[in-house]
Amino acid sequence: MALNEYIASRKQNKDLLLMTHVVCGYPSFDANLKELEIMAEAGVDFVELQFPFSEPSADGPLFVKANQIAVESGVTVEQCFEFMAKVSQRFDFKVLMMGYYNTVFKMGHEAFVDALKAAGGCGFIVPDLPLEEAGALHDYAKSQDIAPIVLMTPTNTDARLQTIAKAADGFVYVVARRGVTGGKTEMDAEVGEFLDKCRDISPVPTGVGFGVSAKEDLDFLAKHADMGIIGTAALKAWEEGEEKALRDFFGSLGLL
Amino acid sequence: MDLFDFEPGREGYYGEYGGCFLPEILTTTIEELKAAFQDIKHDPSFWQEFEQLMQSYSGRPTPVSHLANLSAKLGGAQIYVKREDLNHTGSHKINNVMGQGLLCKRLGKKRVIAETGAGQHGFATATMAARFGFDCKIYMGAVDVARQRPNVFWMENLGAEVVAVQDGQQTLKDAINECLRDWVTNMHDTHYVLGTAAGPHPFPEMVSYFQSIIGREARGQIQKVAGKLPDRVFACVGGGSNAMGLFQGFLDDQQVELVGCEAGGLGPGEGNHASRLAYKDASVGVAQGFKTYFLQNKDGNMLHTKSVAAGLDYIGVNPALVHLWERERVRFEAVTDAEVTEALKLCMKTEGLIPALESSHAFARAIEEAPKMSKDEVILINQSGRGDKDIFTVADALDDDHWKEFIKVKAEHYGAE
Ligand SMILES: Cc1ncc(COP(=O)(O)O)c(C=O)c1O
């Protein structure tokens, strides 16, 4: 099923879709599976599987630590794809690769997209690959029905947002604020205005991430976007008390 | 040869290398920076202002000195040294820093951040910030903080906040990651003063531009003191800024051989060194904002690096140098830690010079090649910095008993307080 149909069908039953995040192999692939079980139960629509990288310069402290420990414990790209294949078979939600461009570059664009497709992935989010450099990779991905997810950010000019919109496929990842992953975003009128603008410009649905961590955030986003994206908050819950804490976290969101 | 005359659609590329790979959130900031840099590059009064500042604040032009004793002892080529160690703060880093400081003023930003390895760049940035009235935060790997305490001391006393970065291998690359994280958060009032000719476009071009003051001076000076252009030019290569700075003075002189000296650490083999081109352990990748040769594994995760010189201990290298290496315009050699210590000792004893451990890499290679050259040939070495900052590391390497005694007494004294 193409991504837009999938999103449309999931949106029939709820106001706001949800995407969550796990760092492959951190704390372990077994723990990842337990996290994903809970996420599936909470009804998430997408999960980004982050392929660990040694230089995660766009991530905040918790994901930095997760990337570092996963890399140090020997997690390989091959293992991440194997894991993705297992996950996409076992669960209903759709899976995307999230990571840094060097992972893609080292494999080669086509080999990467082919492996992603074979593992049942539906797209990828590579935040350090700007549009100017993305042409060849994006073209090949689209030819294989793999969605390259582009990002809109609050520092972009309107002209730039239009350019990004032209390249959009699947959904647009809207970065709610400046900074790295983690931390809190004040969901105020200014953020709302920016999200409305992105939704207006984007030809595809919008998902909003960075600092989304509470039920109020999701209620707010339901008015301004198509999907909420929860990253650090879920890992933080897991770190505090594994399955129980993660369940409680999704419970606090009204999802369990 | 104009390395910076980019082909349409290939802005920031040197052959296959370079480019700008940053998160979307920095697009506007980078565009602003590129525009501001183009403005100053095409404004002849800027270079004048820059030269005057470097003259009055940093003692430029730095001299080119003949090392008659060392040349005689080695019995080959005549050795000359470009004395970047005589700059204020003791290294070439101040050239780039003052240039970016002037640029920062034009950008109207009030805060600067910088990564530092050896601490020389952080030290220079802290002085610049003090002089220009900017807030200043320096990110430095925890390992480097431990081995370069004297520079940390000065940075803090100059009013900068020094953050010891605990991530990764706690060296230069990890400090760069922290700077990028700060920058994506604070770009509205903050300029990132990148310290070497690496990272995303326009940094390799911009840093090379400010550092070209070294080569512009050196070309005329060496002709005056040696009566001819050099036959070989040696510079150490961390990220590549002092090498680019000096080499640019001679790029069009085909008869001048340019030699980049990398950190050979313990010798070849993954994890033993920081030699991207001279050894065969690196491959092309994209990280920290640019495409170049990186010391990385097949999955694209970076390897650990090793060198006695914190300033050379970096995974990647200036993209223009890679391009020049591929075109056989620049030769690359690796120098091991052991060779570096020997070269430093020889320089101190024969010439009374104390090159930084980084610069000692260039000296070591020149010392190795000089005896095989004829007496009328000329070598020019870039002494990128002075070795005072390395006193703890060098004292260790030389196993100096008097120093150890001094430290013990000091420690007891502090312990008793
Ligand atoms: C004295 C000195 N020389 C050389 C370097 C290496 O940097 P680059 O290759 O940018 O000149 C450093 C870096 O810290 C340094 O302090």
Side-chain angles (χ1 to χ4, degrees):
Chain A
M1 195 187 331
L3 217 47
N4 53 352
E5 288 169 39
Y6 173 75
I7 293 175
S9 79
R10 301 287 281 204
K11 275 222 87 173
Q12 278 172 357
N13 309 320
K14 46 183 162 184
D15 292 337
L16 187 72
L17 302 193
L18 193 63
M19 178 158 83
T20 54
H21 183 123
V22 303
V23 178
C24 290
Y26 179 81
S28 66
F29 283 110
D30 286 343
N32 288 156
L33 271 183
K34 287 181 193 152
E35 294 169 310
L36 291 170
E37 297 275 4
I38 296 168
M39 291 169 180
E41 243 183 273
V44 308
D45 305 282
F46 290 93
V47 172
E48 6 173 9
L49 297 181
Q50 179 163 10
F51 286 30
F53 180 49
S54 59
E55 316 304 316
S57 51
D59 278 300
L62 194 55
F63 282 156
V64 170
K65 183 182 107 181
N67 272 272
Q68 189 178 324
I69 292 176
V71 168
E72 273 166 14
S73 69
V75 171
T76 63
V77 171
E78 197 180 330
Q79 287 171 342
C80 292
F81 276 120
E82 281 166 14
F83 184 66
M84 183 183 275
K86 197 167 172 182
V87 170
S88 57
Q89 257 177 12
R90 172 148 6 154
F91 298 102
D92 287 340
F93 52 70
K94 287 214 179 261
V95 183
L96 296 101
M97 177 271 185
M98 186 265 157
Y100 288 82
Y101 179 55
N102 205 35
T103 304
V104 180
F105 178 80
K106 287 307 279 182
M107 275 189 87
H109 291 167
E110 299 201 358
F112 169 77
V113 171
D114 293 349
L116 184 61
K117 191 171 179 172
C122 70
F124 55 85
I125 304 167
V126 178
D128 64 337
L129 180 66
L131 287 184
E132 287 66 26
E133 298 285 351
L137 174 65
H138 283 195
D139 288 348
Y140 183 70
K142 286 177 184 173
S143 80
Q144 299 301 305
D145 276 330
I146 293 293
I149 305 300
V150 295
L151 286 83
M152 290 184 175
T153 76
T155 58
N156 288 129
T157 60
D158 288 359
R160 181 71 181 173
L161 290 176
Q162 298 284 358
T163 309
I164 297 168
K166 285 203 188 76
D169 194 18
F171 61 87
V172 166
Y173 191 127
V174 181
V175 176
R177 57 158 169 75
R178 301 190 309 259
V180 291
T181 55
K184 175 100 188 103
T185 303
E186 279 314 316
M187 299 290 175
D188 56 17
E190 199 182 326
V191 174
E193 229 168 86
F194 166 63
L195 300 183
D196 291 345
K197 178 161 78 178
C198 292
R199 197 183 209 179
D200 201 35
I201 292 175
S202 172
V204 291
T206 57
V208 180
F210 279 53
V212 179
S213 60
K215 174 126 187 14
E216 303 85 79
D217 298 336
L218 297 182
D219 293 343
F220 176 87
L221 292 182
K223 289 180 256 147
H224 301 283
D226 304 293
M227 179 160 72
I229 302 170
I230 291 182
T232 305
L235 181 56
K236 194 160 156 248
W238 179 270
E239 299 266 289
E240 276 161 15
E242 304 198 359
E243 280 156 291
K244 163 126 187 16
L246 190 60
R247 270 183 186 285
D248 290 348
F249 171 68
F250 281 105
S252 77
L253 299 178
L255 297 171
L256 272 182
Chain B
M1 180 188 322
D2 186 357
L3 283 169
F4 308 108
D5 185 11
F6 303 116
E7 283 167 36
R10 299 288 291 166
E11 197 191 340
Y13 272 93
Y14 311 88
E16 287 305 303
Y17 310 102
C20 180
F21 295 81
L22 284 176
E24 185 58 43
I25 194 128
L26 282 171
T27 305
T28 307
T29 309
I30 284 286
E31 288 303 324
E32 265 169 32
L33 182 60
K34 284 198 296 202
F37 173 61
Q38 284 306 318
D39 279 352
I40 60 164
K41 202 177 148 185
H42 295 109
D43 173 358
S45 72
F46 178 84
W47 189 264
Q48 261 180 352
E49 182 188 355
F50 174 57
E51 264 185 345
Q52 270 161 17
L53 176 64
M54 295 314 291
Q55 196 179 347
S56 65
Y57 191 61
S58 193
R60 297 205 77 91
T62 58
V64 165
S65 319
H66 183 211
L67 306 193
N69 300 339
L70 186 63
S71 306
K73 186 173 174 83
L74 296 171
Q78 293 307 306
I79 300 174
Y80 292 81
V81 176
K82 176 66 171 162
R83 299 291 305 279
E84 289 303 297
D85 59 310
L86 294 178
N87 274 298
H88 177 43
T89 70
S91 83
H92 71 293
K93 295 285 178 186
I94 194 87
N95 303 327
N96 167 46
V97 161
M98 296 316 281
Q100 290 202 44
L102 293 174
L103 186 71
C104 184
K105 282 214 290 199
R106 291 198 178 199
L107 285 165
K109 299 197 166 168
K110 300 270 178 279
R111 177 176 179 265
V112 291
I113 53 171
E115 85 292 345
T116 194
Q120 288 300 105
H121 175 58
F123 180 17
T125 304
T127 54
M128 179 274 279
R131 186 179 162 100
F132 289 162
F134 301 139
D135 285 337
C136 180
K137 194 166 191 170
I138 304 294
Y139 293 95
M140 187 168 184
V143 167
D144 292 333
V145 169
R147 62 179 161 174
Q148 298 286 353
R149 177 53 67 176
N151 277 335
V152 177
F153 170 84
W154 289 123
M155 285 184 263
E156 289 179 343
N157 281 283
L158 286 158
E161 184 188 345
V162 180
V163 178
V165 178
Q166 307 288 346
D167 304 324
Q169 76 170 60
Q170 307 181 345
T171 58
L172 187 57
K173 75 174 178 62
D174 309 291
I176 292 178
N177 290 336
E178 262 327 280
C179 281
L180 290 171
R181 291 181 192 116
D182 186 311
W183 209 25
V184 299
T185 313
N186 301 306
M187 72 290 258
H188 53 288
D189 69 352
T190 297
H191 175 61
Y192 177 14
V193 185
L194 216 159
T196 187
H201 180 66
F203 284 106
E205 177 184 7
M206 195 166 75
V207 177
S208 299
Y209 179 73
F210 295 131
Q211 293 293 2
S212 72
I213 196 167
I214 306 173
R216 291 192 203 198
E217 287 174 6
R219 191 170 188 284
Q221 290 170 316
I222 188 83
Q223 284 176 297
K224 220 180 219 161
V225 292
K228 60 178 278 203
L229 285 171
D231 295 279
R232 289 183 205 171
V233 175
F234 294 85
C236 66
V237 182
S241 70
N242 85 88
M244 278 300 288
L246 183 59
F247 290 174
Q248 281 176 95
F250 304 97
L251 268 187
D252 291 328
D253 304 309
Q254 288 305 325
Q255 73 274 29
V256 178
E257 192 182 12
L258 307 173
V259 187
C261 305
E262 294 180 288
L266 305 175
E270 285 188 2
N272 284 341
H273 60 86
S275 180
R276 292 68 39 109
L277 300 178
Y279 291 155
K280 298 294 159 222
D281 296 317
S283 61
V284 181
V286 178
Q288 302 204 311
F290 71 127
K291 183 190 286 188
T292 190
Y293 272 77
F294 283 107
L295 288 159
Q296 57 181 330
N297 69 16
K298 72 172 184 7
D299 272 354
N301 286 316
M302 298 303 147
L303 300 171
H304 280 240
T305 51
K306 195 165 186 61
S307 169
V308 68
L312 304 186
D313 208 350
Y314 181 55
I315 49 175
V317 61
N318 171 273
L321 286 175
V322 181
H323 179 57
L324 293 168
W325 171 70
E326 280 190 341
R327 294 175 51 176
E328 296 185 0
R329 182 66 190 92
V330 176
R331 170 157 64 92
F332 269 83
E333 302 288 351
V335 180
T336 62
D337 288 352
E339 292 168 322
V340 166
T341 318
E342 287 311 309
L344 175 56
K345 282 199 265 187
L346 186 59
C347 281
M348 291 195 287
K349 293 270 158 61
T350 56
E351 292 288 352
L353 283 184
I354 313 173
L357 284 166
E358 289 78 13
S359 322
S360 296
H361 285 69
F363 278 88
R365 189 65 207 180
I367 288 167
E368 151 101 21
E369 295 186 16
K372 296 170 223 158
M373 295 168 70
S374 75
K375 286 198 169 62
D376 54 6
E377 285 186 291
V378 168
I379 279 176
L380 178 62
I381 304 171
N382 203 14
Q383 182 166 349
S384 56
R386 63 170 188 237
D388 316 30
K389 69 175 174 67
D390 299 320
I391 190 162
F392 287 86
T393 316
V394 174
D396 265 355
L398 303 184
D399 202 21
D400 189 291
D401 287 333
H402 294 148
W403 175 259
K404 283 193 259 184
E405 196 50 44
F406 163 71
I407 295 290
K408 270 187 213 147
V409 171
K410 266 284 177 204
E412 273 165 29
H413 175 68
Y414 286 133
E417 268 178 16

